[in-house]
Amino acid sequence: DGIDWAVTNAAKIINLSAGGWTGVITNEIRRAITNAIANGVIFVTITHNFPAYGSMTFPGTLPEVITVGASETNGLRCGFSLFGPTIDLVAPGTNMYCLDTNAPGYSFGNYGTSFAAPLVAGAAALICSLRPELNNQQVADLLCAGAVHPLSPTNGWDQLQGWGVLNAYNSL
């Protein structure tokens, strides 16, 4: 319902930092994601954080979404960040600040792909502010083309980091 509501209310970008579902719910969410993209929404999601799964989970396994893993401060993929054939790129996902609900102020040291994907969604928003006519695939192409791969001077794709680490400046 949330995805459909966002589309109805003219969202341009949706970040879904959740997943891992199986069964009937995946059909409904897949329908909502497909509908969102068909209606011009840029859709960003995560690879997930649980190495025990063994491989990426839904909806990160959908080829039509922008799938994001987490990177360390050195640009390499975090060990907890899942990977696979539909990963597009990685973004910083460690040592993140967030609001501390148990005390005033912020906590430091948080981590996860759920911190990385919003950075990519933000870069997508910057791209769309300059080029609002672009669709999901075109924005994905720009994000991936701008990514920097720390292990490959040619910035080639691999299933661990996709096209590399988000570089919003290059993508713009």
Side-chain angles (χ1 to χ4, degrees):
D1 288 345
I3 296 169
D4 291 331
W5 184 91
V7 172
T8 299
N9 288 278
K12 180 62 179 173
I13 298 168
I14 295 175
N15 175 73
L16 180 60
S17 288
W21 307 289
T22 59
V24 176
I25 191 170
T26 61
N27 294 331
E28 182 60 22
I29 294 171
R30 179 189 300 263
R31 182 211 51 79
I33 291 170
T34 302
N35 179 60
I37 292 171
N39 280 282
V41 172
I42 311 305
F43 205 96
V44 179
T45 192
I46 59 173
T47 60
H48 230 80
N49 296 330
F50 303 109
Y53 285 170
S55 62
M56 288 173 36
T57 61
F58 177 87
T61 52
L62 296 174
E64 62 268 28
V65 300
I66 301 169
T67 303
V68 181
S71 65
E72 299 278 0
T73 55
N74 63 6
L76 299 178
R77 182 187 60 87
C78 296
F80 61 78
S81 182
L82 294 177
F83 57 90
T86 56
I87 186 172
D88 290 299
L89 69 164
V90 296
T94 59
N95 298 320
M96 307 303 279
Y97 285 93
C98 71
L99 184 62
D100 190 336
T101 57
N102 296 316
Y106 299 90
S107 62
F108 176 72
N110 300 286
Y111 65 91
T113 55
S114 293
F115 289 99
L119 296 175
V120 172
L126 290 172
I127 292 168
C128 290
S129 74
L130 297 173
R131 302 275 312 275
E133 77 282 1
L134 296 180
N135 66 29
N136 189 72
Q137 186 59 57
Q138 291 166 323
V139 171
D141 290 345
L142 287 172
L143 290 165
C144 293
V148 178
H149 205 301
L151 298 178
S152 173
T154 59
N155 289 337
W157 182 90
D158 68 51
Q159 71 172 353
L160 296 177
Q161 297 193 174
W163 292 99
V165 181
L166 172 69
N167 185 312
Y169 182 84
N170 288 350
S171 296
L172 292 172

